[in-house]
């Protein structure tokens, strides 16, 4: 099969007219992929994304063709999907302040041109979720763009639809997750056009690799939040004083791998309310 795109964590293959999105067990912290995989991570996140796609199908059509018509070496961690014309805007919804959104707020009081009230802290809940689109800058890092920039690039109709659908997906997902003890602070969605020019939700959806998942019981604005899944790896890596957070990262000890795997399973089980079958 032809590799069409290789990301840090996932790969994209062409299979005739279809694409196969294949998730690995790789994990990154501080944007650096570590040399030790988390066994099962690719499967868990793929199955969680599929669960959400099915749940959200009433809000927006998606690119999934099959989760089972997959070569055996990728079983469970690949999705066969329709090839779309991808929209070059990352559609981000934020309900809480963290990451680059926090940086932007501190610098300007706004994110993607959306003014936010004064006095918010790291991890604060926003008065209401906001659409904060970004584009891949040439530097490789994402750059916020305003809604008007999206209008200029895609037209007012498409821009409004993307904002509406993104906020609806976030609202629905965050509400459901919150009822199960998980705060989804923000999420990044990717869309494409089908041949009939309808908008289709692509990539992965509402996983902890495309979103910030926080344990609701630990949430406390005014400090960096604890991530539901990666926190063990982050905490352990911060004890490796010889690592400057540049590649290559250090190998992860077995007990940190196991604890991290358990957190991925826990997020899957809390959200879907189904036992992870391979646990
Ligand atoms: C597509 N990516 C990003 C994700 C990678 C790269 N349905 C689609 N049709 C056409 N293109 C894409 C998709 C999807 N999804 C997605 N780039 C193109 C990406 C994962 C791994 F290497």
């Amino acid at each position: 099969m032809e590799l069409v795109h290789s990301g840090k964590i996932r790969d994209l293959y062409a299979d005739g007219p279809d694409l196969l999105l294949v998730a690995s067990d790789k994990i990154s912290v501080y944007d650096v992929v570590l040399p030790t995989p988390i066994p099962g991570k690719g499967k868990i996140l793929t199955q969680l994304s599929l669960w959400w796609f099915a749940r959200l199908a009433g809000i927006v059509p998606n690119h999934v063709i099959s989760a089972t018509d997959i070569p055996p070496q990728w079983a469970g961690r690949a999705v066969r999907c329709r090839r779309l014309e991808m929209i070059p805007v990352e559609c981000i919804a934020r309900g809480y302040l963290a990451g680059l959104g926090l940086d932007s707020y501190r610098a300007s009081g706004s994110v993607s041109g959306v003014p936010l009230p004064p006095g918010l802290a790291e991890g604060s809940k926003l008065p209401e979720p906001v659409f904060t689109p970004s584009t891949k800058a040439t530097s490789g890092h994402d750059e916020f763009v305003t809604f008007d920039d999206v209008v200029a690039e895609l037209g007012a109709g498409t821009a409004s639809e993307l904002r509406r659908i993104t906020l609806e997906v976030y609202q629905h997902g965050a509400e459901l997750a919150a009822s199960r003890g998980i705060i989804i602070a923000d999420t990044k969605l990717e869309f494409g056009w089908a041949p009939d020019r309808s908008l289709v939700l692509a990539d992965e959806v509402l996983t902890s690799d495309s979103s910030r998942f926080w344990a609701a019981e630990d949430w406390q604005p005014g400090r960096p939040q604890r991530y539901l899944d990666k926190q063990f790896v982050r905490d352990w890596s911060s004890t490796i004083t010889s690592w400057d957070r540049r590649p290559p990262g250090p190998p992860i000890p077995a007990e940190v791998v196991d604890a991290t795997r358990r957190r991925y399973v826990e997020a899957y089980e809390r959200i879907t309310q189904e036992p992870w079958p391979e646990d």
Side-chain angles (χ1 to χ4, degrees):
M1 232 166 268
E2 185 204 349
L3 180 65
V4 293
H5 217 67
S6 189
K8 277 190 197 162
I9 307 291
R10 296 173 305 147
D11 292 321
L12 199 57
Y13 291 84
D15 185 15
D18 306 340
L19 294 175
L20 289 177
L21 199 51
V22 183
S24 72
D25 290 343
K26 291 177 189 167
I27 189 170
S28 65
V29 282
Y30 308 116
D31 264 343
V32 175
V33 177
L34 298 183
T36 317
I38 306 297
K41 173 175 178 277
K43 279 192 185 181
I44 296 165
L45 293 194
T46 297
Q47 296 307 309
L48 180 59
S49 187
L50 288 164
W51 185 88
W52 280 120
F53 274 128
R55 277 289 181 128
L56 298 165
I59 297 176
V60 59
N62 62 64
H63 70 160
V64 177
I65 296 172
S66 173
T68 52
D69 182 9
I70 300 292
Q73 73 269 26
W74 296 329
R77 60 184 180 95
V79 176
R80 177 178 299 276
C81 46
R82 297 191 261 164
R83 191 191 282 263
L84 305 169
E85 183 186 328
M86 294 303 284
I87 294 175
V89 171
E90 322 240 278
C91 290
I92 301 170
R94 298 174 186 272
Y96 294 77
L97 207 47
L100 296 176
L102 174 66
D103 296 344
S104 175
Y105 173 75
R106 284 178 169 159
S108 69
S110 65
V111 187
S112 293
V114 180
L116 297 174
L120 297 174
E122 176 159 25
S124 284
K125 185 173 189 176
L126 303 178
E128 59 183 356
V130 290
F131 178 61
T132 63
S134 74
T135 53
K136 289 246 179 288
T138 29
S139 68
H141 254 101
D142 295 359
E143 209 167 75
F144 289 120
V145 295
T146 67
F147 182 72
D148 285 348
D149 292 331
V150 181
V151 170
E153 181 150 349
L154 303 172
T158 299
S160 299
E161 276 292 276
L162 289 173
R163 179 171 61 185
R164 180 185 65 76
I165 298 167
T166 299
L167 289 172
E168 221 171 295
V169 165
Y170 174 75
Q171 198 97 6
H172 184 83
E175 221 164 82
L176 185 137
S179 76
R180 297 171 182 185
I182 293 174
I183 292 174
I184 301 181
D186 51 39
T187 196
K188 182 194 82 180
L189 305 179
E190 303 221 21
F191 295 86
W193 278 293
D196 69 359
R197 304 311 277 176
S198 58
L199 287 175
V200 178
L201 183 58
D203 208 344
E204 63 182 330
V205 63
L206 295 172
T207 69
S208 51
D209 275 4
S210 65
S211 320
R212 287 190 173 82
F213 282 16
W214 299 337
E217 66 271 20
D218 292 343
W219 175 61
Q220 194 188 311
R223 60 150 170 83
Q225 305 303 307
R226 303 183 59 82
Y227 284 61
L228 188 64
D229 47 11
K230 291 186 182 179
Q231 199 62 40
F232 289 106
V233 181
R234 290 169 152 250
D235 290 351
W236 156 80
S237 70
S238 71
T239 70
I240 313 296
T241 51
S242 59
W243 184 40
D244 56 8
R245 295 191 184 175
R246 289 193 309 221
I252 313 172
E255 62 274 17
V256 175
V257 170
D258 291 343
T260 302
R261 181 182 193 282
R262 282 203 305 277
R263 296 302 281 263
Y264 279 100
V265 169
E266 185 188 332
Y268 174 92
E269 292 185 335
R270 276 211 218 177
I271 289 174
T272 66
Q273 305 273 287
E274 299 281 354
W276 175 247
E278 296 177 14
D279 198 36

